[in-house]
Amino acid sequence: CILRMATLQGENLGGEVGEKEVSNTPPMAQQKLANAEEEDYSHVKALTLYKMVEDIRVDSNSQNHEHKLLFLTDSQANLLAETDGSMEKLVKAFEWRKPKLVITFLRSIGGIGWFKSLPGDVLYSSDAVRGGILRDFPPWDSKLDAYQAEEKLVTFMREVLIPLAADTNAVIIGCANHGDCTLSTAFGTALSLEMAKWGGSPPFTFVGTSSEAVQFYLDEKEKLEARGKAPFWRRIADKSSSWMERDAKLKHIILHKYPDVDKSPYREANRLDLDPNVLNYIMVDTVDERDEEIDTSKAAHNKLLTALTRYLTEDVPSISIKTGMSENTGPIS
């Protein structure tokens, strides 16, 4: 990668011939060449992970946690997932303790936060994935029952799972999007209530992953107008050099492809934000650098998550936990 970049730079700096060749190149081809060079550079960064895990401090809900963020492009995530030794480098870059246990929260939708994050003007009664669902109507007899159920879940996290995680220096892998996974959100809430006893540095690692950059950008203006302040993901992004390197391009690609969210495939998607109680974020932007296309399958994110989980569980026991509901992604017969 480095040799190819140096060669390309040498051709451009090599005098009149190089300048003439560039000037005669069609604009689209020039852009593809620039994208290829940018991808090569990003691959070098990903393989070394040099300064890619950033320490970020953002005030939220009267708390001032220090977060660690690894922001990756789709191609960087793919490269890390496919390269031997890269998961070991990733863990070292985050400076995680050696765990005696790995706890994985399988995405558990259907909690109060998930139902609240649904768009308010969409009826899912005939939807193959979410048939019968209404915004802000979780499947309990009453709202009080729903809140009591989630309170019990937070209590379980405080009294059972957090002590277990502390005793085993566990790595807990969950979802970084607030409300998108009932288990991850409950654990984050419990952690925020227990954080003071460890002076802000718990003896375990809570990492959340996200592949919702497209949704974040599409909803940014709406959230800003509704809350009167920037969403939490934006405050994290503004302090991240890796994220800001991609910010203008992501805005251009996403908003150019979907100028009107109500006419896009994301119209019925949950309105999400990063969870401020997650201390370690792995963000995959789901945008292909070379073709500037959005990968709606989120394959790179899923591949990276699988590679990380396999690496962490090679020689330690693991627990996977699931609750809530699941989405039907197949046709209804």
Side-chain angles (χ1 to χ4, degrees), residues 197-248:
K197 71 167 64 173
W198 299 298
S201 181
F204 52 81
T205 301
F206 182 29
V207 54
T209 70
S210 176
S211 55
E212 298 296 340
V214 175
Q215 189 66 60
F216 290 169
Y217 280 88
L218 290 175
D219 292 341
E220 182 175 13
K221 183 179 179 181
E222 178 184 316
K223 280 191 167 65
L224 181 60
E225 292 173 349
R227 302 176 183 178
K229 61 180 180 181
F232 187 74
W233 73 263
R234 170 50 69 186
R235 285 178 278 161
I236 290 286
D238 285 346
K239 293 192 175 185
S240 164
S241 58
S242 295
W243 199 327
M244 293 310 294
E245 282 179 9
R246 290 276 286 172
D247 187 59

Side-chain angles (χ1 to χ4, degrees), residues 104-298:
T104 304
F105 294 140
L106 304 178
R107 183 169 175 253
S108 301
I109 63 174
I112 295 170
W114 186 85
F115 273 88
K116 282 188 173 181
S117 69
L118 291 169
D121 58 345
V122 176
L123 179 65
Y124 297 98
S125 58
S126 61
D127 186 272
V129 176
R130 298 173 173 177
I133 288 175
L134 295 173
R135 182 185 184 276
D136 207 14
F137 276 87
W140 280 269
D141 289 339
S142 68
K143 290 283 184 70
L144 178 60
D145 289 338
Y147 281 106
Q148 287 176 340
E150 295 209 355
E151 184 180 347
K152 290 177 181 178
L153 188 56
V154 172
T155 300
F156 168 76
M157 297 295 180
R158 292 185 73 178
E159 296 182 356
V160 178
L161 218 57
I162 283 181
L164 176 63
D167 288 344
T168 58
N169 300 126
V171 171
I172 301 95
I173 303 173
C175 178
N177 309 313
H178 181 71
D180 198 29
C181 171
T182 305
L183 292 170
S184 299
T185 300
F187 188 88
T189 301
L191 177 58
S192 69
L193 297 172
E194 298 289 312
M195 186 70 81
K197 71 167 64 173
W198 299 298
S201 181
F204 52 81
T205 301
F206 182 29
V207 54
T209 70
S210 176
S211 55
E212 298 296 340
V214 175
Q215 189 66 60
F216 290 169
Y217 280 88
L218 290 175
D219 292 341
E220 182 175 13
K221 183 179 179 181
E222 178 184 316
K223 280 191 167 65
L224 181 60
E225 292 173 349
R227 302 176 183 178
K229 61 180 180 181
F232 187 74
W233 73 263
R234 170 50 69 186
R235 285 178 278 161
I236 290 286
D238 285 346
K239 293 192 175 185
S240 164
S241 58
S242 295
W243 199 327
M244 293 310 294
E245 282 179 9
R246 290 276 286 172
D247 187 59
K249 176 167 278 191
L250 289 173
K251 278 183 181 178
H252 170 75
I253 295 171
I254 294 168
L255 299 180
H256 177 74
K257 189 173 184 65
Y258 302 125
D260 186 351
V261 66
D262 289 333
K263 296 179 181 178
S264 77
Y266 291 87
R267 176 176 180 266
E268 300 182 358
N270 295 65
R271 306 316 196 218
L272 300 171
D273 196 359
L274 287 179
D275 189 337
N277 292 321
V278 175
L279 302 182
N280 299 267
Y281 298 116
I282 298 177
M283 186 79 203
V284 179
D285 69 16
T286 70
V287 175
D288 185 273
E289 290 171 275
R290 195 175 292 252
D291 298 327
E292 299 190 351
E293 288 294 328
I294 296 170
D295 178 16
T296 56
S297 73
K298 303 172 184 176

Side-chain angles (χ1 to χ4, degrees), residues 37 43 45 54 61 69 88 91 101 103 106 113 141 144 175 179 181 189 247 251 266 311 318 329-330 333:
E37 291 185 39
H43 282 185
K45 286 182 65 179
E54 303 173 89
N61 300 327
L69 168 70
E88 181 181 1
V91 170
L101 177 69
I103 301 171
L106 304 178
D141 289 339
L144 178 60
C175 178
C181 171
T189 301
D247 187 59
K251 278 183 181 178
Y266 291 87
Y311 170 75
S318 64
T329 56
S333 57

